[in-house]
Amino acid sequence: MAMAMAAPPHRQPKRRRSSTTPAQSPLDSLADELLFLVLDRVAAADPRALKSFSLASRAYHAAESRHRRILRPRRADLLPSLLARYPAAAILDLTLCPRLADAALAAVSSSPCLRAVDLSRSSGFRAAGLAALATACPDLADLDLSNGVDLGDAAAAEVARMRRLRRLSLSRCKPVTDMGLGCVAVGCPDLRDLSLKWCIGVTDLGIKLLAHKCRNLRTLDLSYAMITKDSFPAIMKLPNLEVLTLVGCSGIDDDALSSIEKHCIKSLKVTPSMVSSFHRMSNLQTLMLEGCKFMADALKSIGKSCASIRQLSLSKCSGVTDAELSSAVSRLKNLLKLDVTCCRNITNASLVSITSSCTSLISLRMESCVHVSSDGLKLIGKHCHQLEELDLTDNDLDDEGLKAIAGCSKLSSLKIGICLKISDEGLTQIGKSCPELRDIDLYRCGDISDDGVTHIAQGCPKLESINLCYCTGITDRSLMSLSKCANLNTLEIRGCPRVSSSGISEIAMGCRLLSKLDIKKCFEINDVGMLYISQFSHSLRQNMTIVHLAGISPNGLIAALLVCGGLTKVKLNAAFKSMMPHHMLRNVEARGCAFQWIDKPYKVELEPCDVWKQQSQDVLVG
């Protein structure tokens, strides 16, 4: 019998290398202008996505380099490589670099496209560094040197070489005198916005020269400067001046303000002694009277003479009564923003006038107006439907009042902390009716539970900030619902003892934009929670408060600090200081992070909100 021949083994045909080029991405054919619009949308949704985009291909890497306009380095030694990587950057924010040597500013020479530099939180540089900056950036238009307590006339002389400056802040540059200001006035004639706040070396002579040379000034801040009424005639000759700030200028009185009568200043911030001159300022649009003491009929005269006012602040002003406030607001038909914080004498009568006369309000702040009842607060929801910002902190608000306020469907900011009568019932209505809400403050609202927070999380998808400090009834279920709010960047849950690492892990994984976190006195959070923060919360760029957390060890803390490189301030229990490697602390500080060591005894018991409020009132009365 013939034997069957074995079948030859099956062989795969050799693959031939394709001669065609890889398919191009649809983005490759876009012009830079259109591609940059796409990247703007991507960055608005999730800034971290730009990094992923740049890693997709060399072409995308180059496109992202051309697109980046703002640089915010955490270390000064990275400046040369960053400026080389992003040659089109127009804004350099150095506020995360606390120490900058002159050599660091010299490195800016590789970026001629820069138009704005912020040095307001940096120190260590002198006139030589500013000289290098002036040489490297001849087209610089915006320079912030606030808090330059060591910068004097020599530094101002170097600033004067930046002839195209439009905005300059020398706030708290106390060594600067008339000589330095004169150099700036002569060298930078095109200035539009200048702050000389706390420049105590500047006198009338410097201001007169400034007004003579810088005719295009629109905003001028002279708060706490040593000027008198002799400088006012020169200031009033500035043809484009719109905003003049004179807070703390003891040398300016009512006689000086009489020269404002014929000039179109739109915004004025003053000291209490100037209140009687407002009848001369019929063109005012913004009036900030924070901390003033009103005499009889003073507020009424503002309403009669300044009908064009759109923003009025009476925060912490004494002497404000129902009759005075009602008379003023009844004439301010164009008012958009009103602040009556801590005006403790007003009652429901004022709310009647405000809500009936100012129906176009978009901002109302009335924290600690303790004599206004919940019935009065209901009027806000009935009449002020355009409100976008509402602050009712420490008021007599209850659930019925909160339900009425839910009628303000355009609200983006709602602060109702220390309103001890509200519960999930009222908060649920806010969640159903205010889809634009981005910021909500529920500080010490002790009757709030997971149900109320869940309705806020589900009904307010744009939520960015929530304060739940000392809301002792919330648990991990609240954090799990908040983890679905992808835009959440601020979470404050201090004093919430039922929150654990399980909830924090959900927040870390779901809220990748988290930049501020307060977990003080959250006793159930341990190293597991910190490890999730270190793995997912890379956007933490502001504050982190970690005090009285018994379950956290130095290892868990170190992991979070090393990975969250954008932190600027961290509060820790002093006991950790000796347990953590000193070189690690120096490394974190070198990135611009400041440690605040809290030396307080560990305390598990939390005071009920009503007890805490009564103790606070006793302190105020005492």
Side-chain angles (χ1 to χ4, degrees):
M1 184 173 61
M3 295 182 61
M5 296 181 61
H10 178 71
R11 294 181 180 179
Q12 291 280 358
K14 292 184 178 180
R15 293 183 179 179
R16 294 184 179 181
R17 184 174 297 177
S18 175
S19 59
T20 59
T21 58
Q24 289 187 337
S25 165
L27 294 179
D28 292 338
S29 59
L30 291 180
D32 276 356
E33 292 79 3
L34 294 177
L35 181 59
F36 291 171
L37 289 176
V38 172
L39 293 181
D40 288 339
R41 292 290 186 92
V42 171
D46 185 357
R48 298 164 305 147
L50 288 180
K51 182 177 181 180
S52 300
F53 175 87
S54 67
L55 296 176
S57 71
R58 291 182 179 180
Y60 290 178
H61 185 275
E64 198 269 336
S65 296
R66 299 193 303 273
H67 169 263
R68 183 72 65 91
R69 293 293 183 268
I70 302 176
L71 296 181
R72 190 175 290 110
R74 300 168 185 170
R75 290 164 42 193
D77 59 308
L78 297 178
L79 264 178
S81 59
L82 279 175
L83 293 171
R85 165 80 166 85
Y86 301 104
I91 299 175
L92 180 59
D93 183 349
L94 295 169
T95 54
L96 297 180
C97 301
R99 298 289 300 176
L100 275 176
D102 290 334
L105 290 181
V108 179
S109 60
S110 60
S111 186
C113 294
L114 279 180
R115 298 293 181 270
V117 177
D118 189 346
L119 294 162
S120 60
R121 295 185 181 180
S122 303
S123 61
F125 61 92
R126 297 292 186 271
L130 292 175
L133 185 63
T135 302
C137 306
D139 296 328
L140 202 64
D142 187 334
L143 180 61
D144 193 338
L145 297 175
S146 300
N147 306 306
V149 294
D150 297 322
L151 300 179
D153 290 339
E158 299 299 339
V159 171
R161 296 172 51 205
M162 307 174 189
R163 297 190 60 82
R164 297 187 181 182
L165 274 182
R166 298 288 189 92
R167 179 184 178 275
L168 174 63
S169 177
L170 296 173
S171 178
R172 293 183 180 84
C173 294
K174 297 182 179 181
V176 173
T177 68
D178 291 335
M179 183 178 296
L181 182 58
C183 292
V184 171
V186 173
C188 307
D190 207 26
L191 276 176
R192 276 14 180 219
D193 185 336
L194 177 63
S195 175
L196 297 171
K197 184 177 182 179
W198 281 111
C199 290
I200 56 179
V202 172
T203 67
D204 294 332
L205 179 62
I207 298 302
K208 290 177 182 178
L209 180 58
L210 174 72
H212 178 67
K213 293 293 184 180
C214 300
R215 307 293 293 168
N216 295 319
L217 273 174
R218 296 179 180 177
T219 301
L220 181 60
D221 188 346
L222 300 174
S223 298
Y224 304 101
M226 299 293 103
I227 63 172
T228 69
K229 60 183 180 182
D230 292 339
S231 61
F232 245 62
I235 294 174
M236 290 301 101
K237 291 179 181 179
L238 290 168
N240 300 306
L241 191 63
E242 297 179 352
V243 179
L244 176 62
T245 305
L246 300 169
V247 174
C249 294
S250 56
I252 305 296
D253 54 18
D254 290 346
D255 292 335
L257 287 177
S258 63
S259 60
I260 299 180
E261 181 177 5
K262 298 181 180 180
H263 296 271
C264 296
I265 294 182
K266 296 180 180 179
S267 178
L268 182 65
K269 300 181 183 180
V270 300
T271 52
S273 63
M274 306 175 191
V275 172
S276 61
S277 293
F278 292 134
H279 65 279
R280 306 184 182 103
M281 307 174 200
S282 58
N283 296 304
L284 277 179
Q285 293 186 14
T286 302
L287 185 56
M288 315 294 283
L289 300 173
E290 300 171 4
C292 288
K293 182 178 181 180
F294 281 94
M295 307 304 290
D297 298 329
L299 193 53
K300 291 181 180 179
S301 66
I302 294 175
K304 292 178 182 178
S305 305
C306 307
S308 61
I309 287 179
R310 296 195 171 196
Q311 180 175 354
L312 176 61
S313 175
L314 304 174
S315 175
K316 301 177 183 177
C317 291
S318 60
V320 177
T321 64
D322 286 333
E324 294 268 318
L325 183 58
S326 298
S327 176
V329 299
S330 64
R331 292 176 170 85
L332 302 178
K333 302 296 184 180
N334 297 318
L335 197 64
L336 297 177
K337 297 182 179 182
L338 176 62
D339 189 345
V340 289
T341 296
C342 294
C343 293
R344 301 180 186 276
N345 294 326
I346 66 173
T347 67
N348 289 356
S350 290
L351 259 294
V352 171
S353 298
I354 292 171
T355 55
S356 60
S357 301
C358 308
T359 55
S360 297
L361 279 176
I362 62 173
S363 174
L364 177 59
R365 299 180 180 181
M366 45 184 302
E367 175 182 347
S368 298
C369 294
V370 293
H371 293 301
V372 177
S373 71
S374 187
D375 289 335
L377 298 175
K378 291 178 184 177
L379 297 173
I380 298 173
K382 291 180 180 178
H383 299 287
C384 301
H385 296 152
Q386 304 303 315
L387 272 178
E388 298 174 7
E389 177 186 16
L390 180 60
D391 187 349
L392 298 178
T393 302
D394 191 18
N395 276 288
D396 189 43
L397 183 68
D398 59 17
D399 283 334
E400 294 304 315
L402 196 54
K403 291 177 183 178
I405 288 170
C408 304
S409 59
K410 296 183 179 180
L411 276 177
S412 63
S413 176
L414 178 60
K415 297 184 178 181
I416 48 177
I418 324 179
C419 293
L420 305 186
K421 296 181 179 180
I422 64 173
S423 68
D424 293 336
E425 183 180 351
L427 201 60
T428 297
Q429 195 61 41
I430 294 292
K432 292 180 178 179
S433 306
C434 303
E436 300 297 318
L437 199 65
R438 287 173 167 81
D439 177 13
I440 186 168
D441 188 342
L442 298 167
Y443 177 78
R444 286 192 182 271
C445 293
D447 289 337
I448 297 297
S449 73
D450 293 331
D451 291 338
V453 176
T454 299
H455 277 96
I456 291 294
Q458 293 175 347
C460 309
K462 299 179 182 179
L463 194 67
E464 297 177 1
S465 174
I466 185 167
N467 186 342
L468 294 168
C469 291
Y470 299 102
C471 294
T472 54
I474 70 166
T475 69
D476 289 333
R477 189 159 70 89
S478 289
L479 300 193
M480 291 177 184
S481 61
L482 290 171
S483 69
K484 305 299 189 297
C485 300
N487 295 322
L488 193 70
N489 58 57
T490 299
L491 176 63
E492 298 178 78
I493 50 173
R494 172 185 305 202
C496 296
R498 301 173 67 186
V499 167
S500 72
S501 291
S502 177
I504 283 293
S505 64
E506 294 290 333
I507 290 290
M509 290 186 290
C511 305
R512 301 296 184 90
L513 300 181
L514 195 67
S515 63
K516 182 178 179 181
L517 177 65
D518 187 346
I519 52 176
K520 179 179 180 180
K521 296 184 180 179
C522 294
F523 308 118
E524 297 300 319
I525 295 178
N526 54 30
D527 281 352
V528 174
M530 298 308 296
L531 290 175
Y532 271 93
I533 290 173
S534 67
Q535 184 174 358
F536 296 103
S537 300
H538 296 172
S539 295
L540 276 173
R541 295 184 181 277
Q542 297 179 10
N543 301 345
M544 184 161 63
T545 302
I546 308 172
V547 182
H548 293 173
L549 275 67
I552 291 183
S553 70
N555 290 335
L557 187 55
I558 289 172
L561 292 177
L562 289 178
V563 176
C564 301
L567 286 169
T568 58
K569 184 177 181 181
V570 176
K571 294 183 181 179
L572 295 172
N573 194 292
F576 279 117
K577 191 171 185 179
S578 60
M579 302 179 188
M580 301 171 69
H582 292 294
H583 69 275
M584 191 279 297
L585 295 178
R586 288 195 299 269
N587 184 11
V588 175
E589 289 174 335
R591 296 187 316 211
C593 180
F595 287 100
Q596 183 176 350
W597 302 101
I598 308 298
D599 189 11
K600 291 184 178 180
Y602 183 80
K603 181 180 179 181
V604 176
E605 296 80 9
L606 295 174
E607 297 167 343
C609 293
D610 54 347
V611 175
W612 173 88
K613 183 173 182 178
Q614 184 60 51
Q615 291 175 346
S616 301
Q617 292 174 344
D618 292 342
V619 171
L620 289 175
V621 172

